[in-house]
Amino acid sequence: MRKIGFVVDSTFGYNGKFASVVPLKVIIDNKEYVDGTIGEEILVDALKNNKSITTSQPSPNLFVQAFEHELEKYDHVICLTLSKTLSGTFNSANLAKDILEKENVIIIDTETVTEGALYIFEELLKLADEGKSLEEVLGEFKRIKANGSIIFSVDDLSTLVKGGRLGKISGIIGSLLRIKPILRFKEGVLTVEAKVRGLMSAFKYIIDQAKVLVEHSNIVIRITYVDNRGYADQIYKMFKELNNDKIDVKIGGTLSPVVAAHIGLGGMGIYLAKV
């Protein structure tokens, strides 16, 4: 029986029973929606119609409640959040820890988001279920985090620029050239890694990145998307056509509305990690 409980935020997209989930919020034209309960079609409609969309972090009180719930069952609690460079969620969790004054609550910035954060959580949960100590689990977190990154393929950069997640110059260049930008998010830093022309060129770039990794290690690939399942199905098929048993690839479903609101229509995320 494990001695470690887990708390994650709603951007992980986790809907299982082995962790408490603390929700962020999406605000569309001043109407609040709880992340994880808002229908995909509501967000997609808002993006298509250029409505005002903002997001907000959870209150510390929500984390306090989640920590107390987990501490009823476990000796320690590990709280994992999306990268603090994207949200104040990590800070809210730390404020909650200060309120509780519990040293057995550990707050971790995953320095990633969506399928990357979910993969890290699932791996740590496995270790805890195996009876690993808190120190062993935390040690493995550092290794897992360092071995993965997310590549984002977006139709344009305007949503990221408007949300303040990317510089205006990069956004203008992308719009003027009508290119397909490729972004890499690793250890809390989002950068424009490449600029290619056309969807298939973007797919080829991502496939090539996987080929490089798989030369030296088994790899996991997790695919997520905003609104175009066809994109996800297409690149999934391309990964499978590599016919390499060292590749574990899955489609994880749609991006959390909070993340999708900043990525924009046609966006897709591919988490690549060495095992």
Side-chain angles (χ1 to χ4, degrees):
M1 183 175 179
R2 64 184 165 102
K3 297 182 179 180
I4 303 171
F6 289 90
V7 174
V8 300
D9 69 62
S10 59
T11 64
F12 286 50
Y14 180 69
N15 56 8
K17 61 182 181 179
F18 301 113
S20 293
V21 180
V22 176
L24 285 77
K25 290 183 180 178
V26 181
I27 301 97
I28 300 174
D29 283 348
N30 296 317
K31 183 176 180 180
E32 284 191 351
Y33 297 87
V34 176
D35 192 33
T37 65
I38 175 176
E40 176 192 343
E41 67 283 353
I42 295 174
L43 181 66
V44 170
D45 175 75
L47 287 167
K48 286 180 177 177
N49 291 287
N50 201 29
K51 294 181 180 179
S52 170
I53 308 174
T54 57
T55 58
S56 68
Q57 67 205 43
S59 70
N61 186 53
L62 289 177
F63 278 109
V64 167
Q65 293 173 17
F67 296 161
E68 289 179 333
H69 177 73
E70 293 297 318
L71 287 171
E72 290 176 359
K73 299 175 286 184
Y74 303 104
D75 295 340
H76 305 279
V77 172
I78 294 177
C79 173
L80 300 160
T81 75
L82 80 163
S83 174
K84 64 183 178 185
T85 62
L86 300 178
S87 167
T89 300
F90 175 76
N91 292 334
S92 285
N94 273 293
L95 285 171
K97 176 178 177 176
D98 290 343
I99 291 169
L100 278 179
E101 298 182 335
K102 296 286 189 179
E103 291 303 317
N104 55 346
V105 174
I106 296 90
I107 315 298
I108 294 178
D109 173 9
T110 64
E111 297 186 357
T112 184
V113 70
T114 187
E115 289 294 323
L118 179 61
Y119 176 75
I120 289 172
F121 160 64
E122 290 176 339
E123 291 301 297
L124 298 191
L125 178 62
K126 289 178 188 176
L127 294 170
D129 281 339
E130 291 170 3
K132 301 293 184 183
S133 69
L134 179 67
E135 291 73 21
E136 289 173 316
V137 172
L138 295 178
E140 278 298 290
F141 161 73
K142 294 178 181 178
R143 181 191 65 79
I144 297 166
K145 180 189 70 171
N147 282 341
S149 64
I150 297 179
I151 295 177
F152 285 108
S153 168
V154 297
D155 278 352
D156 66 71
L157 297 171
S158 60
T159 305
L160 280 162
V161 172
K162 185 166 65 174
R165 264 65 183 183
L166 200 64
K168 290 184 178 179
I169 293 176
S170 294
I172 292 170
I173 291 173
S175 298
L176 289 176
L177 297 179
R178 296 183 179 181
I179 57 174
K180 191 83 173 173
I182 306 292
L183 299 95
R184 175 89 63 169
F185 191 63
K186 182 174 177 63
E187 297 187 342
V189 179
L190 180 67
T191 56
V192 179
E193 183 168 282
K195 303 181 182 76
V196 299
R197 295 187 181 275
L199 182 64
M200 291 310 297
S201 293
F203 285 175
K204 182 179 183 302
Y205 181 89
I206 296 168
I207 295 294
D208 287 345
Q209 295 299 302
K211 286 179 178 178
V212 171
L213 287 180
V214 82
E215 286 180 1
H216 308 286
S217 173
N218 289 358
I219 63 173
V220 296
I221 302 170
R222 299 291 182 263
I223 304 166
T224 184
Y225 56 96
V226 175
D227 61 317
N228 196 326
R229 174 64 189 238
Y231 286 0
D233 287 338
Q234 193 167 357
I235 197 166
Y236 173 83
K237 182 180 178 183
M238 293 172 72
F239 280 125
K240 295 298 285 186
E241 286 173 350
L242 294 176
N243 197 27
N244 191 323
D245 58 10
K246 292 170 65 179
I247 296 176
D248 172 12
V249 57
K250 295 177 183 176
I251 298 177
T254 56
L255 280 159
S256 153
V258 164
V259 180
H262 296 288
I263 297 297
L265 296 170
M268 183 170 61
I270 296 91
Y271 178 69
L272 301 171
K274 296 185 293 184
V275 177

